[in-house]
Amino acid sequence: IHFSGESIAEAIFADCRNLVMASEFGLRQPNYSEDTLAEFRLDGSRYVNVELNTKEGILRAARLGLADSHLADVIISPYVHNMASSIFTKQNPGRLFTIFRHPIDRALGMYHYLAKASWDPLYNPALLNMSISEFAKSKYIENNWMTRFLIGKTKGKLTHADMLLAKQILRYKVLVGLYEELDTSMARFQRYRS
């Protein structure tokens, strides 16, 4: 989940655990090949040359057999349903885990980051002149991002049934870690992975 410690978790996976990741960094591979999966190094970390923050990237990774290749130790993407239905197989199933952060703390982090992170594609200079209160009431605030991604409903009004479905998915399908307990959560993920 964006702004919930994913960059910290990625650094732990890469630097402390020396794991190979498939994430949004795959297109940064030198001499990138559209038709071949390969491991490469970027700033000392190991990645697979896939881009999993877009549906097109997920389809490419599926076509090339990412799960069956066993190249990645950790696969990171916000598109739960696309990943589950395209990437993983009965022979090579995935294990879903995430880090949760209190929604208000997450929104504050997002507000402060997106107002100054000119290097990030999500950078929004309009936030520089906006108070946190104005941001909370603006079109820039997310609308139940986690519920929408869990149930695959990116647009339209959410219902009580949507919320119940998202809770059921979390209860039965996801190993949950907490941002406020990051060390404990990472240790829990490591035990789960083993």
Side-chain angles (χ1 to χ4, degrees), residues 69-169:
S69 75
H70 299 280
L71 284 173
D73 298 310
V74 179
I75 298 175
I76 301 168
S77 176
Y79 292 101
V80 176
H81 292 283
N82 297 80
M83 295 295 295
S85 63
S86 301
I87 300 291
F88 300 107
T89 64
K90 288 184 180 183
Q91 297 78 22
N92 294 293
R95 295 180 180 175
L96 183 59
F97 62 91
T98 191
I99 300 171
F100 284 169
R101 184 177 185 186
H102 191 285
I104 292 174
D105 292 339
R106 185 175 168 273
L108 282 169
M110 186 170 72
Y111 164 75
H112 290 295
Y113 176 80
L114 294 179
K116 65 180 180 184
S118 58
W119 59 89
D120 192 301
L122 297 175
Y123 167 68
N124 188 343
L127 301 180
L128 281 170
N129 300 318
M130 196 178 285
S131 71
I132 189 68
S133 178
E134 291 169 330
F135 172 69
K137 297 173 187 170
S138 76
K139 65 181 180 180
Y140 303 117
I141 193 81
E142 291 177 333
N143 181 331
N144 293 298
W145 182 91
M146 184 174 24
T147 300
R148 291 182 180 284
F149 272 78
L150 282 171
I151 66 169
K153 185 177 182 179
T154 57
K155 297 180 181 174
K157 185 177 179 179
L158 292 173
T159 66
H160 185 71
D162 293 331
M163 185 262 307
L164 293 175
L165 176 58
K167 286 174 70 174
Q168 185 176 21
I169 291 168

Side-chain angles (χ1 to χ4, degrees), residues 2 38 58 80 101 103 124 163 169 171 182 188 193:
H2 296 305
I58 292 169
V80 176
R101 184 177 185 186
N124 188 343
M163 185 262 307
I169 291 168
R171 183 178 298 118
L182 201 53
R188 188 174 188 210
R193 183 180 168 271

Side-chain angles (χ1 to χ4, degrees), residues 14-119:
D15 301 336
C16 301
R17 305 282 188 219
N18 196 32
L19 300 176
V20 179
M21 292 180 288
S23 63
E24 76 273 16
F25 295 116
L27 296 182
R28 296 184 187 177
Q29 179 192 29
N31 306 314
Y32 174 79
S33 171
E34 180 69 26
D35 299 317
T36 308
L37 287 178
E39 179 185 321
F40 71 99
R41 289 192 176 270
L42 177 67
D43 300 328
S45 300
R46 299 184 309 156
Y47 295 94
V48 178
N49 64 338
V50 292
E51 199 288 302
L52 301 177
N53 276 4
T54 66
K55 293 176 183 177
E56 297 79 19
I58 292 169
L59 289 174
R60 175 184 167 268
R63 180 175 48 83
L64 295 175
L66 176 61
D68 295 335
S69 75
H70 299 280
L71 284 173
D73 298 310
V74 179
I75 298 175
I76 301 168
S77 176
Y79 292 101
V80 176
H81 292 283
N82 297 80
M83 295 295 295
S85 63
S86 301
I87 300 291
F88 300 107
T89 64
K90 288 184 180 183
Q91 297 78 22
N92 294 293
R95 295 180 180 175
L96 183 59
F97 62 91
T98 191
I99 300 171
F100 284 169
R101 184 177 185 186
H102 191 285
I104 292 174
D105 292 339
R106 185 175 168 273
L108 282 169
M110 186 170 72
Y111 164 75
H112 290 295
Y113 176 80
L114 294 179
K116 65 180 180 184
S118 58
W119 59 89

